[in-house]
Amino acid sequence: GEEKCSLLHSKVVKTVDFANDDQRLITGGVDRYLRLFDLNQPNNEPTIWDTQSDSVKTVLWLENESLFVSLCSNGFVHLW
């Protein structure tokens, strides 16, 4: 297939999670930032959160998808 878009990051991405609607994607990685992309408008800048921790190992949408949780390599768990 063809590439639909590229979502740039400054460092290695370690985790991604699609929302159930397949219209939002959240990413996290070595740069310690979480990025929320609107896949309907992939050229728009993502919403960015600084975890102020170490690199992000995992990010997951919670059941209702109004919140998500991130786990950083220094052991911190953040609820967003």
Side-chain angles (χ1 to χ4, degrees):
E2 290 183 33
E3 179 181 291
K4 303 295 182 190
C5 66
S6 292
L7 306 171
L8 298 177
H9 295 74
S10 62
K11 294 189 178 178
V12 174
V13 175
K14 297 196 140 225
T15 182
V16 301
D17 196 29
F18 285 91
N20 286 333
D21 62 12
D22 292 330
Q23 297 178 29
R24 295 170 292 156
L25 174 71
I26 192 154
T27 67
V30 174
D31 66 0
R32 81 178 194 201
Y33 292 99
L34 299 171
R35 289 175 174 81
L36 176 61
F37 293 92
D38 179 349
L39 298 178
N40 290 318
Q41 299 177 354
N43 294 327
N44 287 359
E45 290 293 316
T47 302
I48 299 175
W49 293 270
D50 183 348
T51 64
Q52 299 182 358
S53 289
D54 210 349
S55 65
V56 179
K57 292 176 65 172
T58 304
V59 63
L60 295 170
W61 289 101
L62 297 181
E63 186 69 28
N64 63 8
E65 294 188 351
S66 64
L67 299 172
F68 52 91
V69 63
S70 64
L71 170 64
C72 296
S73 60
N74 61 0
F76 281 90
V77 175
H78 302 275
L79 182 64
W80 305 87

